[in-house]
Amino acid sequence: MSQPSTPAYYYPNKMGRMLMLAMEEILGRSGLNAILNMADLAHLINNYPPNNLDRGFRFEDVSKLQQTLEEFYGPRGGLGLALRSGRAWFKYGLREFGPVLGITDLAFRLLPLPEKLRTGVGKFAEAFNQFSDQRVRVEETPAHLLWHIERCPLCWGRHAEHPVCHLALGTLQEILFWISGGKHFYIEETLCIARGDATCTMMIDKTPLE
């Protein structure tokens, strides 16, 4: 009797393309090509996914890219490059999805900061839930916003002793920087599925750093 196969989950091609462009911006073309070769993703060299919303960019490939960054550049170097790639990824995402989500409207920009943070973070969670197979749930406590990734492509299939979803951390850093008009917030990944936790959870302080 055959074993059941692992379900296949995807980002839309557009998100995969934006990730490739973001990593190329941070690593350079030759650096990204080296990562793609090492990750057994050579078919993506000079052949980024098309700019459409078809779900064709596999979760396991997203996970491979981040893991290969750590293997190629070392844990600290890979973490830093993943954070920077995540921040660049948001910039491409804002261009593509901002108008659809209504977060570039003047009415949103004029909201008080606490409401703008809550609304903005929720809108980006909606974007992942609507356009991809990633599942995000946002929870609010008096001091924090909690970004729970319940189906996570960033550590898909990985096992680690510590949280590894650095791309998500970098993306959230840039989301909050943009939403707040240039303020920085403390964000920490406190739970990670790769470590055996039920979710990958990013804890966001609602009060900006000085």
Side-chain angles (χ1 to χ4, degrees):
M1 188 176 186
S2 61
Q3 294 294 320
S5 58
T6 303
Y9 295 114
Y10 299 88
Y11 271 146
N13 288 322
K14 184 186 290 284
M15 283 187 183
R17 181 180 183 83
M18 293 186 311
L19 180 57
M20 293 293 92
L21 292 170
M23 292 184 70
E24 181 184 324
E25 180 180 319
I26 300 305
L27 303 173
R29 178 69 63 89
S30 60
L32 176 56
N33 288 350
I35 293 297
L36 291 171
N37 270 317
M38 188 174 173
D40 295 324
L41 297 173
H43 63 280
L44 291 172
I45 293 175
N46 301 320
N47 185 38
Y48 297 164
N51 191 27
N52 61 44
L53 291 172
D54 295 346
R55 298 189 186 191
F57 198 74
R58 302 185 307 171
F59 275 19
E60 50 261 50
D61 293 346
V62 180
S63 181
K64 277 184 192 175
L65 285 168
Q66 186 173 253
Q67 183 173 3
T68 305
L69 277 179
E70 297 168 27
E71 293 171 352
F72 194 83
Y73 292 100
R76 289 179 63 84
L79 183 154
L81 289 168
L83 289 174
R84 290 172 60 196
S85 296
R87 291 196 288 265
W89 193 18
F90 166 75
K91 290 187 294 183
Y92 289 98
L94 180 65
R95 193 178 308 153
E96 294 287 343
F97 291 101
V100 177
L101 299 175
I103 57 170
T104 54
D105 297 347
L106 181 61
F108 173 79
R109 304 292 287 168
L110 293 176
L111 290 173
L113 181 58
E115 188 175 348
K116 193 156 55 171
L117 289 177
R118 185 184 312 113
T119 302
V121 168
K123 288 286 188 183
F124 280 104
E126 286 176 19
F128 283 111
N129 292 335
Q130 178 179 349
F131 295 107
S132 81
D133 291 328
Q134 180 173 320
R135 290 295 169 263
V136 181
R137 175 173 56 86
V138 178
E139 178 186 357
E140 185 174 7
T141 72
H144 301 100
L145 291 170
L146 301 173
W147 174 279
H148 301 291
I149 309 176
E150 298 176 334
R151 184 190 293 151
C152 182
L154 304 167
C155 65
W156 188 258
R158 291 188 65 180
H159 299 281
E161 296 180 357
H162 50 81
V164 294
C165 302
H166 312 312
L167 271 169
L169 212 57
T171 303
L172 280 170
Q173 285 176 348
E174 197 65 22
I175 286 173
L176 292 164
F177 183 80
W178 181 83
I179 286 174
S180 66
K183 298 181 186 297
H184 295 277
F185 295 79
Y186 179 76
I187 311 174
E188 179 185 0
E189 185 177 8
T190 57
L191 300 173
C192 186
I193 294 169
R195 198 177 60 178
D197 298 316
T199 63
C200 297
T201 294
M202 314 291 163
M203 183 179 71
I204 304 164
D205 282 3
K206 291 196 290 188
T207 303
L209 298 168
E210 292 297 331

